[in-house]
Amino acid sequence: MSNLFPPSAMPTPDLSHLTSSDYDQVYEPAEDSFLLLDALEQELPQLVSLNPTLAVEIGGGSGIISTALSLKLPHTYFIVTDVNKVACKAIQSTAVQNNTKLEVLNTTTLTHLSERLKSSVDILLCNPPYVATDNSEAGHEDISAAWAGGDLGMNVTKEVIDALDGVLSDSGVAYIVLEQCNKPHLVLDYIRHLQLNCEIIIERRAGREFLKVVKIFRR
């Protein structure tokens, strides 16, 4: 009997274990999450061909992204970080619910991981807090950490981009969600200034937001 889904299809993880009360404290998957999943599905043949050893997600939230990708890359080791302790528990429970394994770390972006990850990350994923807010609203460790991005919504995004040259492997690739308020054209210019390649691989309007996923890789 033929498969209902082509082998390149990205599975949507089972999140039935998470309740409305969980989503009071953990970011519930939304249009930005599904855009990133669609981008990864589009890129999956290339990602498989990389034969990746290590994948890292920054800000895992519910765990939907890394869980989905780990189901398609069963031989890749996944590290997922989140500054929100409740989110870390949700990420771990999502992995268990879907019969996969993720190493989950409660930390901000890549704090304390730069040496461990030096030049070794084959895939880096980040759906950052991209909403432009006052800087006083950013940098917390509760659910606001999932959306409050500070000036231009770029506080976390810039920190991640600045770390890429140090952590990506020679063939490593990063996928980061951007929103129009982040001024994507300036973000792309900044990435190129760091001597990295980049391109927008998918974009979509979601209500008042215009979302894009940028792919970043070495020259």
Side-chain angles (χ1 to χ4, degrees):
M1 186 171 127
S2 62
N3 290 329
L4 292 176
F5 301 101
S8 62
M10 184 71 70
T12 300
D14 177 10
L15 299 180
S16 61
H17 58 291
L18 298 178
T19 66
S20 57
S21 61
D22 290 317
Y23 291 131
D24 287 338
Q25 302 177 78
V26 175
Y27 185 69
E28 183 172 4
E31 289 87 347
D32 50 351
S33 315
F34 296 113
L35 182 69
L36 183 52
L37 281 178
D38 288 346
L40 294 173
E41 180 173 88
Q42 180 179 299
E43 292 282 299
L44 194 56
Q46 178 192 336
L47 295 178
V48 171
S49 72
L50 286 176
N51 193 24
T53 299
L54 177 63
V56 174
E57 182 182 6
I58 299 168
S62 66
I64 186 173
I65 302 296
S66 283
T67 295
L69 190 57
S70 70
L71 292 171
K72 300 301 290 187
L73 298 173
H75 303 298
T76 303
Y77 190 83
F78 278 77
I79 297 173
V80 186
T81 76
D82 205 293
V83 69
N84 179 346
K85 291 182 179 179
V86 182
C88 288
K89 293 177 181 177
I91 295 163
Q92 197 64 264
S93 65
T94 295
V96 171
Q97 180 78 5
N98 290 272
N99 299 309
T100 190
K101 291 183 179 180
L102 308 171
E103 179 182 350
V104 184
L105 300 175
N106 178 217
T107 187
T108 60
T109 59
L110 297 175
T111 305
H112 310 308
L113 291 174
S114 57
E115 279 305 309
R116 177 182 176 187
L117 302 180
K118 187 175 181 180
S119 301
S120 62
V121 178
D122 299 306
I123 302 170
L124 187 138
L125 311 169
C126 185
N127 180 10
Y130 53 69
V131 177
T133 65
D134 189 278
N135 278 328
S136 64
E137 297 180 54
H140 299 292
E141 298 181 0
D142 56 11
I143 192 172
S144 69
W147 56 267
D151 187 37
L152 295 180
M154 283 292 296
N155 287 14
V156 169
T157 303
K158 185 177 183 302
E159 187 175 337
V160 173
I161 290 171
D162 286 343
L164 291 179
D165 187 50
V167 300
L168 286 182
S169 65
D170 288 343
S171 57
V173 60
Y175 299 91
I176 300 176
V177 177
L178 299 175
E179 204 279 323
Q180 199 65 26
C181 71
N182 307 145
K183 301 189 183 301
H185 64 289
L186 295 180
V187 177
L188 298 186
D189 286 346
Y190 181 70
I191 293 167
R192 291 172 182 134
H193 176 72
L194 297 177
Q195 303 301 306
L196 294 168
N197 275 334
C198 59
E199 59 181 322
I200 300 296
I201 58 169
I202 193 170
E203 57 187 26
R204 184 177 303 157
R205 183 165 292 284
R208 291 183 295 177
E209 295 182 341
F210 189 42
L211 302 166
K212 303 170 186 276
V213 174
V214 60
K215 175 183 179 179
I216 307 169
F217 49 101
R218 294 193 184 280
R219 293 182 172 175

Short mmCIF file of all heavy atoms in Angstrom, two decimals, residues 90-157:
data_model
loop_
_atom_site.label_atom_id
_atom_site.label_comp_id
_atom_site.label_asym_id
_atom_site.label_seq_id
_atom_site.Cartn_x
_atom_site.Cartn_y
_atom_site.Cartn_z
N ALA A 90 7.71 21.52 28.36
CA ALA A 90 6.81 21.24 27.24
C ALA A 90 7.57 20.63 26.07
O ALA A 90 7.08 19.69 25.42
CB ALA A 90 6.12 22.54 26.80
N ILE A 91 8.75 21.15 25.79
CA ILE A 91 9.56 20.61 24.69
C ILE A 91 9.88 19.14 24.94
O ILE A 91 9.74 18.29 24.05
CB ILE A 91 10.87 21.41 24.54
CG1 ILE A 91 10.58 22.85 24.13
CG2 ILE A 91 11.80 20.75 23.52
CD1 ILE A 91 11.75 23.81 24.36
N GLN A 92 10.29 18.83 26.16
CA GLN A 92 10.63 17.45 26.49
C GLN A 92 9.42 16.53 26.39
O GLN A 92 9.51 15.42 25.87
CB GLN A 92 11.23 17.40 27.91
CG GLN A 92 11.98 16.13 28.22
CD GLN A 92 13.21 15.96 27.35
OE1 GLN A 92 13.15 15.27 26.33
NE2 GLN A 92 14.32 16.57 27.73
N SER A 93 8.28 17.02 26.87
CA SER A 93 7.07 16.20 26.82
C SER A 93 6.59 15.99 25.38
O SER A 93 6.05 14.93 25.04
CB SER A 93 5.95 16.79 27.68
OG SER A 93 5.52 18.04 27.19
N THR A 94 6.80 16.99 24.52
CA THR A 94 6.43 16.84 23.11
C THR A 94 7.30 15.80 22.43
O THR A 94 6.83 14.99 21.63
CB THR A 94 6.54 18.19 22.37
OG1 THR A 94 5.57 19.10 22.93
CG2 THR A 94 6.26 18.05 20.88
N ALA A 95 8.58 15.79 22.76
CA ALA A 95 9.48 14.77 22.21
C ALA A 95 9.03 13.38 22.63
O ALA A 95 8.94 12.46 21.80
CB ALA A 95 10.92 15.04 22.67
N VAL A 96 8.73 13.21 23.92
CA VAL A 96 8.28 11.91 24.43
C VAL A 96 6.97 11.50 23.77
O VAL A 96 6.79 10.34 23.36
CB VAL A 96 8.13 11.97 25.97
CG1 VAL A 96 7.45 10.70 26.49
CG2 VAL A 96 9.49 12.16 26.63
N GLN A 97 6.04 12.45 23.64
CA GLN A 97 4.73 12.17 23.04
C GLN A 97 4.88 11.64 21.61
O GLN A 97 4.06 10.85 21.14
CB GLN A 97 3.89 13.44 23.04
CG GLN A 97 2.50 13.32 22.44
CD GLN A 97 1.51 12.66 23.38
OE1 GLN A 97 1.82 12.36 24.54
NE2 GLN A 97 0.29 12.44 22.89
N ASN A 98 5.94 12.09 20.93
CA ASN A 98 6.12 11.72 19.53
C ASN A 98 7.27 10.72 19.31
O ASN A 98 7.73 10.54 18.18
CB ASN A 98 6.37 12.99 18.71
CG ASN A 98 5.12 13.85 18.60
OD1 ASN A 98 4.31 13.67 17.71
ND2 ASN A 98 4.96 14.79 19.53
N ASN A 99 7.69 10.09 20.40
CA ASN A 99 8.68 9.01 20.33
C ASN A 99 10.00 9.44 19.69
O ASN A 99 10.55 8.74 18.83
CB ASN A 99 8.10 7.80 19.59
CG ASN A 99 6.89 7.22 20.27
OD1 ASN A 99 6.93 6.94 21.47
ND2 ASN A 99 5.79 7.07 19.54
N THR A 100 10.48 10.60 20.09
CA THR A 100 11.78 11.04 19.64
C THR A 100 12.56 11.59 20.84
O THR A 100 12.02 11.65 21.95
CB THR A 100 11.65 12.10 18.53
OG1 THR A 100 12.95 12.33 17.95
CG2 THR A 100 11.08 13.42 19.03
N LYS A 101 13.80 11.96 20.62
CA LYS A 101 14.64 12.43 21.73
C LYS A 101 15.25 13.79 21.39
O LYS A 101 15.78 13.98 20.29
CB LYS A 101 15.75 11.42 22.02
CG LYS A 101 15.25 10.10 22.62
CD LYS A 101 16.42 9.18 22.95
CE LYS A 101 15.93 7.86 23.57
NZ LYS A 101 17.07 6.95 23.89
N LEU A 102 15.19 14.69 22.35
CA LEU A 102 15.81 16.00 22.24
C LEU A 102 16.54 16.29 23.54
O LEU A 102 16.02 15.99 24.62
CB LEU A 102 14.75 17.09 22.01
CG LEU A 102 13.74 16.92 20.88
CD1 LEU A 102 12.67 18.00 20.97
CD2 LEU A 102 14.44 16.97 19.52
N GLU A 103 17.71 16.89 23.46
CA GLU A 103 18.35 17.41 24.66
C GLU A 103 17.83 18.84 24.86
O GLU A 103 17.97 19.68 23.96
CB GLU A 103 19.87 17.43 24.53
CG GLU A 103 20.54 18.00 25.78
CD GLU A 103 22.05 18.10 25.69
OE1 GLU A 103 22.65 17.55 24.73
OE2 GLU A 103 22.65 18.74 26.59
N VAL A 104 17.23 19.11 26.00
CA VAL A 104 16.60 20.40 26.26
C VAL A 104 17.39 21.14 27.33
O VAL A 104 17.66 20.59 28.40
CB VAL A 104 15.13 20.23 26.69
CG1 VAL A 104 14.46 21.59 26.87
CG2 VAL A 104 14.36 19.39 25.67
N LEU A 105 17.75 22.39 27.03
CA LEU A 105 18.55 23.20 27.94
C LEU A 105 17.84 24.51 28.25
O LEU A 105 17.39 25.20 27.34
CB LEU A 105 19.92 23.49 27.33
CG LEU A 105 20.78 22.28 26.98
CD1 LEU A 105 22.06 22.72 26.28
CD2 LEU A 105 21.12 21.48 28.24
N ASN A 106 17.76 24.83 29.53
CA ASN A 106 17.15 26.09 29.97
C ASN A 106 18.23 27.17 29.99
O ASN A 106 18.99 27.29 30.93
CB ASN A 106 16.53 25.90 31.36
CG ASN A 106 15.92 27.16 31.93
OD1 ASN A 106 15.99 27.41 33.13
ND2 ASN A 106 15.30 27.97 31.08
N THR A 107 18.30 27.93 28.89
CA THR A 107 19.32 28.96 28.77
C THR A 107 18.87 30.01 27.75
O THR A 107 17.96 29.76 26.96
CB THR A 107 20.67 28.35 28.36
OG1 THR A 107 21.68 29.36 28.41
CG2 THR A 107 20.62 27.78 26.95
N THR A 108 19.50 31.16 27.77
CA THR A 108 19.20 32.20 26.79
C THR A 108 20.06 31.99 25.55
O THR A 108 21.27 31.81 25.66
CB THR A 108 19.49 33.60 27.37
OG1 THR A 108 20.87 33.68 27.73
CG2 THR A 108 18.64 33.87 28.59
N THR A 109 19.43 32.01 24.41
CA THR A 109 20.08 31.78 23.12
C THR A 109 21.15 30.69 23.24
O THR A 109 20.83 29.55 23.53
CB THR A 109 20.65 33.09 22.53
OG1 THR A 109 21.61 33.66 23.43
CG2 THR A 109 19.55 34.09 22.27
N LEU A 110 22.42 31.03 23.03
CA LEU A 110 23.49 30.03 23.10
C LEU A 110 24.44 30.28 24.26
O LEU A 110 25.60 29.85 24.24
CB LEU A 110 24.28 30.03 21.79
CG LEU A 110 23.47 29.63 20.55
CD1 LEU A 110 24.30 29.79 19.29
CD2 LEU A 110 22.94 28.21 20.67
N THR A 111 23.93 30.95 25.31
CA THR A 111 24.76 31.24 26.48
C THR A 111 25.38 29.97 27.04
O THR A 111 24.71 28.96 27.22
CB THR A 111 23.90 31.93 27.57
OG1 THR A 111 23.27 33.07 26.99
CG2 THR A 111 24.75 32.35 28.74
N HIS A 112 26.67 30.00 27.28
CA HIS A 112 27.45 28.90 27.86
C HIS A 112 27.61 27.72 26.89
O HIS A 112 28.14 26.67 27.29
CB HIS A 112 26.83 28.38 29.16
CG HIS A 112 26.51 29.45 30.15
ND1 HIS A 112 27.44 30.39 30.56
CD2 HIS A 112 25.35 29.76 30.79
CE1 HIS A 112 26.87 31.22 31.43
NE2 HIS A 112 25.61 30.87 31.58
N LEU A 113 27.18 27.86 25.64
CA LEU A 113 27.26 26.74 24.70
C LEU A 113 28.27 26.98 23.58
O LEU A 113 28.49 26.09 22.76
CB LEU A 113 25.89 26.45 24.08
CG LEU A 113 24.82 25.88 25.00
CD1 LEU A 113 23.49 25.79 24.26
CD2 LEU A 113 25.24 24.50 25.50
N SER A 114 28.85 28.17 23.51
CA SER A 114 29.67 28.51 22.35
C SER A 114 30.86 27.57 22.17
O SER A 114 31.18 27.18 21.03
CB SER A 114 30.16 29.96 22.45
OG SER A 114 30.86 30.17 23.66
N GLU A 115 31.49 27.16 23.26
CA GLU A 115 32.64 26.25 23.12
C GLU A 115 32.18 24.85 22.73
O GLU A 115 32.79 24.21 21.86
CB GLU A 115 33.44 26.20 24.43
CG GLU A 115 34.39 27.36 24.61
CD GLU A 115 35.37 27.52 23.44
OE1 GLU A 115 36.01 26.51 23.06
OE2 GLU A 115 35.47 28.62 22.89
N ARG A 116 31.11 24.39 23.34
CA ARG A 116 30.60 23.05 23.02
C ARG A 116 30.18 22.95 21.56
O ARG A 116 30.35 21.91 20.92
CB ARG A 116 29.42 22.72 23.94
CG ARG A 116 28.76 21.38 23.63
CD ARG A 116 27.58 21.11 24.53
NE ARG A 116 26.92 19.87 24.16
CZ ARG A 116 25.77 19.44 24.68
NH1 ARG A 116 25.16 20.14 25.62
NH2 ARG A 116 25.24 18.31 24.27
N LEU A 117 29.61 24.04 21.04
CA LEU A 117 29.05 24.01 19.69
C LEU A 117 29.99 24.54 18.62
O LEU A 117 29.64 24.59 17.45
CB LEU A 117 27.76 24.84 19.66
CG LEU A 117 26.65 24.42 20.62
CD1 LEU A 117 25.45 25.33 20.47
CD2 LEU A 117 26.24 22.96 20.37
N LYS A 118 31.20 24.92 18.99
CA LYS A 118 32.12 25.59 18.07
C LYS A 118 32.28 24.83 16.76
O LYS A 118 32.69 23.67 16.73
CB LYS A 118 33.48 25.76 18.75
CG LYS A 118 34.46 26.59 17.95
CD LYS A 118 35.74 26.82 18.74
CE LYS A 118 36.72 27.69 17.95
NZ LYS A 118 37.97 27.90 18.72
N SER A 119 31.90 25.49 15.67
CA SER A 119 32.07 24.98 14.30
C SER A 119 31.46 23.60 14.10
O SER A 119 31.93 22.83 13.25
CB SER A 119 33.56 24.94 13.92
OG SER A 119 34.13 26.22 14.03
N SER A 120 30.40 23.27 14.85
CA SER A 120 29.87 21.90 14.78
C SER A 120 28.37 21.81 14.49
O SER A 120 27.84 20.71 14.34
CB SER A 120 30.15 21.17 16.10
OG SER A 120 29.51 21.82 17.17
N VAL A 121 27.67 22.95 14.38
CA VAL A 121 26.22 22.92 14.18
C VAL A 121 25.90 22.82 12.69
O VAL A 121 26.23 23.71 11.90
CB VAL A 121 25.54 24.17 14.78
CG1 VAL A 121 24.04 24.14 14.52
CG2 VAL A 121 25.82 24.26 16.28
N ASP A 122 25.26 21.73 12.31
CA ASP A 122 24.91 21.52 10.90
C ASP A 122 23.60 22.20 10.53
O ASP A 122 23.42 22.64 9.39
CB ASP A 122 24.82 20.02 10.61
CG ASP A 122 26.14 19.32 10.87
OD1 ASP A 122 27.16 19.75 10.30
OD2 ASP A 122 26.15 18.35 11.65
N ILE A 123 22.67 22.26 11.48
CA ILE A 123 21.38 22.92 11.26
C ILE A 123 21.06 23.75 12.49
O ILE A 123 21.08 23.24 13.61
CB ILE A 123 20.24 21.90 11.04
CG1 ILE A 123 20.54 20.98 9.86
CG2 ILE A 123 18.90 22.61 10.83
CD1 ILE A 123 19.57 19.80 9.74
N LEU A 124 20.79 25.03 12.29
CA LEU A 124 20.36 25.89 13.40
C LEU A 124 19.00 26.48 13.06
O LEU A 124 18.79 26.99 11.96
CB LEU A 124 21.38 27.01 13.65
CG LEU A 124 21.07 27.85 14.90
CD1 LEU A 124 22.33 28.15 15.69
CD2 LEU A 124 20.36 29.15 14.52
N LEU A 125 18.08 26.40 14.01
CA LEU A 125 16.70 26.86 13.82
C LEU A 125 16.36 27.91 14.85
O LEU A 125 16.73 27.78 16.02
CB LEU A 125 15.73 25.68 13.98
CG LEU A 125 16.05 24.40 13.20
CD1 LEU A 125 15.16 23.27 13.67
CD2 LEU A 125 15.89 24.64 11.71
N CYS A 126 15.65 28.95 14.44
CA CYS A 126 15.23 29.95 15.41
C CYS A 126 13.99 30.69 14.92
O CYS A 126 14.02 31.33 13.87
CB CYS A 126 16.36 30.94 15.68
SG CYS A 126 15.97 32.14 16.97
N ASN A 127 12.92 30.56 15.68
CA ASN A 127 11.73 31.40 15.50
C ASN A 127 11.76 32.36 16.70
O ASN A 127 11.22 32.07 17.75
CB ASN A 127 10.46 30.56 15.50
CG ASN A 127 9.21 31.40 15.31
OD1 ASN A 127 9.29 32.59 14.99
ND2 ASN A 127 8.05 30.80 15.50
N PRO A 128 12.44 33.50 16.54
CA PRO A 128 12.74 34.35 17.69
C PRO A 128 11.56 35.23 18.09
O PRO A 128 10.57 35.33 17.37
CB PRO A 128 13.89 35.22 17.15
CG PRO A 128 13.53 35.39 15.71
CD PRO A 128 12.95 34.06 15.28
N PRO A 129 11.66 35.88 19.24
CA PRO A 129 10.68 36.93 19.58
C PRO A 129 10.94 38.11 18.65
O PRO A 129 11.93 38.83 18.81
CB PRO A 129 11.00 37.25 21.04
CG PRO A 129 12.43 36.87 21.21
CD PRO A 129 12.67 35.71 20.29
N TYR A 130 10.08 38.29 17.65
CA TYR A 130 10.36 39.28 16.60
C TYR A 130 9.49 40.53 16.68
O TYR A 130 9.61 41.43 15.84
CB TYR A 130 10.22 38.66 15.21
CG TYR A 130 8.89 37.97 14.97
CD1 TYR A 130 7.70 38.70 14.87
CD2 TYR A 130 8.81 36.59 14.84
CE1 TYR A 130 6.49 38.07 14.65
CE2 TYR A 130 7.61 35.95 14.62
CZ TYR A 130 6.45 36.69 14.52
OH TYR A 130 5.25 36.06 14.31
N VAL A 131 8.60 40.61 17.67
CA VAL A 131 7.73 41.78 17.78
C VAL A 131 8.53 42.95 18.35
O VAL A 131 9.22 42.82 19.38
CB VAL A 131 6.51 41.48 18.68
CG1 VAL A 131 5.65 42.73 18.86
CG2 VAL A 131 5.69 40.34 18.08
N ALA A 132 8.44 44.10 17.69
CA ALA A 132 9.15 45.29 18.17
C ALA A 132 8.47 45.81 19.44
O ALA A 132 7.26 46.05 19.46
CB ALA A 132 9.13 46.37 17.09
N THR A 133 9.23 45.93 20.50
CA THR A 133 8.71 46.40 21.79
C THR A 133 9.75 47.34 22.42
O THR A 133 10.88 47.43 21.96
CB THR A 133 8.48 45.23 22.77
OG1 THR A 133 9.75 44.63 23.09
CG2 THR A 133 7.54 44.18 22.19
N ASP A 134 9.34 47.97 23.50
CA ASP A 134 10.32 48.70 24.31
C ASP A 134 11.30 47.68 24.88
O ASP A 134 10.92 46.55 25.22
CB ASP A 134 9.59 49.43 25.44
CG ASP A 134 10.51 50.37 26.19
OD1 ASP A 134 11.24 49.87 27.08
OD2 ASP A 134 10.52 51.57 25.90
N ASN A 135 12.56 48.07 24.95
CA ASN A 135 13.57 47.13 25.46
C ASN A 135 13.27 46.64 26.87
O ASN A 135 13.69 45.55 27.27
CB ASN A 135 14.96 47.76 25.40
CG ASN A 135 15.59 47.64 24.03
OD1 ASN A 135 15.34 46.68 23.31
ND2 ASN A 135 16.38 48.63 23.64
N SER A 136 12.52 47.43 27.64
CA SER A 136 12.17 47.02 29.00
C SER A 136 11.24 45.82 29.01
O SER A 136 11.13 45.10 30.01
CB SER A 136 11.53 48.18 29.76
OG SER A 136 10.29 48.55 29.16
N GLU A 137 10.53 45.56 27.90
CA GLU A 137 9.62 44.43 27.81
C GLU A 137 10.32 43.15 27.37
O GLU A 137 9.77 42.06 27.48
CB GLU A 137 8.48 44.74 26.82
CG GLU A 137 7.58 45.89 27.21
CD GLU A 137 6.49 46.13 26.18
OE1 GLU A 137 5.76 45.15 25.86
OE2 GLU A 137 6.37 47.25 25.69
N ALA A 138 11.54 43.28 26.86
CA ALA A 138 12.28 42.13 26.35
C ALA A 138 13.19 41.56 27.43
O ALA A 138 13.46 42.19 28.45
CB ALA A 138 13.08 42.54 25.13
N GLY A 139 13.66 40.34 27.18
CA GLY A 139 14.67 39.75 28.05
C GLY A 139 14.14 39.06 29.28
O GLY A 139 14.91 38.73 30.19
N HIS A 140 12.83 38.82 29.36
CA HIS A 140 12.27 38.13 30.52
C HIS A 140 12.29 36.62 30.30
O HIS A 140 12.63 36.14 29.21
CB HIS A 140 10.85 38.64 30.79
CG HIS A 140 10.81 40.11 31.11
ND1 HIS A 140 11.34 40.63 32.27
CD2 HIS A 140 10.32 41.17 30.41
CE1 HIS A 140 11.17 41.94 32.28
NE2 HIS A 140 10.57 42.30 31.15
N GLU A 141 11.89 35.87 31.32
CA GLU A 141 11.98 34.41 31.24
C GLU A 141 10.62 33.74 31.28
O GLU A 141 10.53 32.53 31.47
CB GLU A 141 12.87 33.89 32.38
CG GLU A 141 14.30 34.41 32.29
CD GLU A 141 15.21 33.90 33.39
OE1 GLU A 141 14.73 33.13 34.24
OE2 GLU A 141 16.40 34.27 33.39
N ASP A 142 9.55 34.53 31.06
CA ASP A 142 8.21 33.95 31.02
C ASP A 142 7.74 33.90 29.57
O ASP A 142 8.55 34.00 28.64
CB ASP A 142 7.25 34.77 31.89
CG ASP A 142 7.21 36.25 31.49
OD1 ASP A 142 7.76 36.60 30.41
OD2 ASP A 142 6.64 37.06 32.24
N ILE A 143 6.44 33.76 29.34
CA ILE A 143 5.94 33.61 27.98
C ILE A 143 6.22 34.84 27.12
O ILE A 143 6.32 34.74 25.89
CB ILE A 143 4.42 33.28 27.98
CG1 ILE A 143 3.98 32.83 26.58
CG2 ILE A 143 3.61 34.45 28.51
CD1 ILE A 143 2.58 32.30 26.51
N SER A 144 6.42 36.00 27.73
CA SER A 144 6.73 37.20 26.94
C SER A 144 8.04 37.04 26.17
O SER A 144 8.26 37.70 25.15
CB SER A 144 6.79 38.44 27.84
OG SER A 144 7.92 38.40 28.70
N ALA A 145 8.90 36.14 26.65
CA ALA A 145 10.16 35.88 25.95
C ALA A 145 9.93 35.31 24.56
O ALA A 145 10.83 35.33 23.71
CB ALA A 145 11.03 34.92 26.76
N ALA A 146 8.71 34.80 24.30
CA ALA A 146 8.40 34.22 23.00
C ALA A 146 8.03 35.26 21.96
O ALA A 146 8.00 34.95 20.77
CB ALA A 146 7.26 33.21 23.15
N TRP A 147 7.71 36.49 22.41
CA TRP A 147 7.30 37.48 21.41
C TRP A 147 7.96 38.85 21.55
O TRP A 147 8.16 39.55 20.56
CB TRP A 147 5.77 37.65 21.43
CG TRP A 147 5.19 38.01 22.77
CD1 TRP A 147 4.71 37.14 23.71
CD2 TRP A 147 5.04 39.33 23.33
NE1 TRP A 147 4.28 37.83 24.81
CE2 TRP A 147 4.45 39.17 24.60
CE3 TRP A 147 5.34 40.61 22.87
CZ2 TRP A 147 4.18 40.25 25.43
CZ3 TRP A 147 5.06 41.70 23.69
CH2 TRP A 147 4.48 41.51 24.95
N ALA A 148 8.33 39.27 22.76
CA ALA A 148 8.86 40.62 22.97
C ALA A 148 10.31 40.69 22.49
O ALA A 148 11.22 40.15 23.12
CB ALA A 148 8.76 41.01 24.43
N GLY A 149 10.52 41.39 21.36
CA GLY A 149 11.83 41.38 20.73
C GLY A 149 12.68 42.61 20.94
O GLY A 149 13.79 42.70 20.40
N GLY A 150 12.17 43.60 21.71
CA GLY A 150 12.95 44.81 21.93
C GLY A 150 12.99 45.69 20.70
O GLY A 150 12.14 45.60 19.81
N ASP A 151 14.00 46.53 20.61
CA ASP A 151 14.11 47.50 19.53
C ASP A 151 14.11 46.82 18.16
O ASP A 151 14.93 45.94 17.89
CB ASP A 151 15.41 48.30 19.71
CG ASP A 151 15.52 49.45 18.73
OD1 ASP A 151 14.48 50.07 18.43
OD2 ASP A 151 16.63 49.73 18.26
N LEU A 152 13.16 47.19 17.31
CA LEU A 152 12.97 46.59 15.98
C LEU A 152 12.69 45.08 16.05
O LEU A 152 12.74 44.40 15.03
CB LEU A 152 14.18 46.84 15.08
CG LEU A 152 14.48 48.29 14.68
CD1 LEU A 152 15.70 48.35 13.78
CD2 LEU A 152 13.28 48.94 13.99
N GLY A 153 12.42 44.56 17.25
CA GLY A 153 12.18 43.13 17.40
C GLY A 153 13.41 42.29 17.13
O GLY A 153 13.31 41.10 16.81
N MET A 154 14.59 42.89 17.28
CA MET A 154 15.82 42.25 16.82
C MET A 154 16.78 41.80 17.92
O MET A 154 17.87 41.30 17.62
CB MET A 154 16.56 43.20 15.89
CG MET A 154 15.97 43.29 14.49
SD MET A 154 16.21 41.75 13.56
CE MET A 154 18.00 41.70 13.43
N ASN A 155 16.42 41.96 19.19
CA ASN A 155 17.39 41.67 20.25
C ASN A 155 17.94 40.25 20.17
O ASN A 155 19.16 40.02 20.15
CB ASN A 155 16.77 41.91 21.63
CG ASN A 155 16.60 43.39 21.94
OD1 ASN A 155 16.70 44.25 21.06
ND2 ASN A 155 16.33 43.70 23.20
N VAL A 156 17.04 39.27 20.15
CA VAL A 156 17.48 37.87 20.10
C VAL A 156 18.02 37.53 18.71
O VAL A 156 19.05 36.86 18.58
CB VAL A 156 16.32 36.92 20.47
CG1 VAL A 156 16.68 35.47 20.15
CG2 VAL A 156 15.99 37.06 21.96
N THR A 157 17.34 37.99 17.67
CA THR A 157 17.74 37.67 16.31
C THR A 157 19.18 38.10 16.04
O THR A 157 19.98 37.34 15.48
CB THR A 157 16.80 38.35 15.30
OG1 THR A 157 15.46 37.92 15.56
CG2 THR A 157 17.16 37.97 13.88
#
